[in-house]
Amino acid sequence: LKSPSRQARSVPGYKWFLPIVSPVEHETQDFIVDPYTVGFLIGDGSMTRETVYFTTDDEFCADKIAKLNPELNVNKYNKLGAQRYSITPRYMDVMRKLGLNTDSHHKRIPDQYFIGSVSQRVELLRGLMDSDGSCTKGSKAVFSTRNMGLAEDVQSLVWSLGGTAKIAVCDRGEKGVDIIVSIWTPMNPFSLPRKAERYTVRPGYRAIMSIEKIGSEHMRCISVANEDGLFVTKDYIVTHNSWLMAYFAVQAWRNGKTPL
């Protein structure tokens, strides 16, 4: 536990904070489709027919996808006022292998893309954010979807990159339900210039808002080789659990203190 930073002290109700995990390292993977293209197609792509296409008014994104895939043809055409791009030759076989030949309510980040290198996962996030992300005037990055599974995938991806992500469900009445993922990352989550220039990289924090008892279970305390005793557990939470800290807590209790 750490005392709050000056920035965090300005937020009412926050008293104790945990360290944020550094971006988790994995080896560079040889993906059949580059991570940025996968992220962008999950956001603004259509892969339910025999031709893969995506919709965007930003030529920057279309040009980036074309440069990342020189073996493919990215063709521009208009349909019903929307700017669309088709990808040829036939690309559906690849999408089927990745499990992406589905509608927007069932799209998920393919499992293998969670274990790409840091730079690969950053590009995956940028593909998602360049398509379905936005940045407000207050430099707040958000990802919007109506697919809770995808929202949780984006949250896990951000956590793996040393960021924070909070999911909120917004009921729009007759317009349906929007799922918003509010994101902070130590690097810019956008590559599209008009979005990237609005995002300011600033210090982040993970605060303890409440502590609630959920029951009693038999647990096994462990100790790691790190000098500070810290290790990463579920949902990329940094924790500390060793016999030495338990010993200190017991001794404090025996001496009439209340251990934290």
Side-chain angles (χ1 to χ4, degrees), residues 194-215:
R194 68 177 178 83
K195 294 182 180 181
E197 64 188 13
R198 298 172 71 100
Y199 186 81
T200 301
V201 177
R202 60 190 185 280
Y205 56 87
R206 186 185 290 275
I208 295 177
M209 301 181 66
S210 65
I211 299 175
E212 301 174 7
K213 184 175 180 179
I214 60 173

Side-chain angles (χ1 to χ4, degrees), residues 124-185:
L124 172 62
L125 178 61
R126 286 175 174 166
L128 290 158
M129 296 299 287
D130 283 356
S131 56
D132 278 350
S134 60
C135 192
T136 66
K137 292 181 179 179
S139 300
K140 181 180 179 181
V142 297
F143 179 81
S144 303
T145 183
R146 293 191 173 183
N147 178 344
M148 179 58 78
L150 179 57
E152 292 172 348
D153 283 353
V154 171
Q155 182 182 55
S156 182
L157 175 64
V158 171
W159 284 344
S160 80
L161 291 169
T164 60
K166 183 178 180 180
I167 296 176
V169 178
C170 303
D171 190 346
R172 307 294 188 188
E174 294 181 356
K175 295 182 179 180
V177 175
D178 289 340
I179 303 170
I180 307 298
V181 188
S182 299
I183 292 170
W184 169 84
T185 54

Side-chain angles (χ1 to χ4, degrees), residues 106-121:
H106 297 92
K107 288 180 183 177
R108 301 292 297 270
I109 296 175
D111 289 343
Q112 58 267 45
Y113 283 78
F114 285 106
I115 58 170
S117 67
V118 172
S119 61
Q120 287 178 320
R121 297 198 317 276

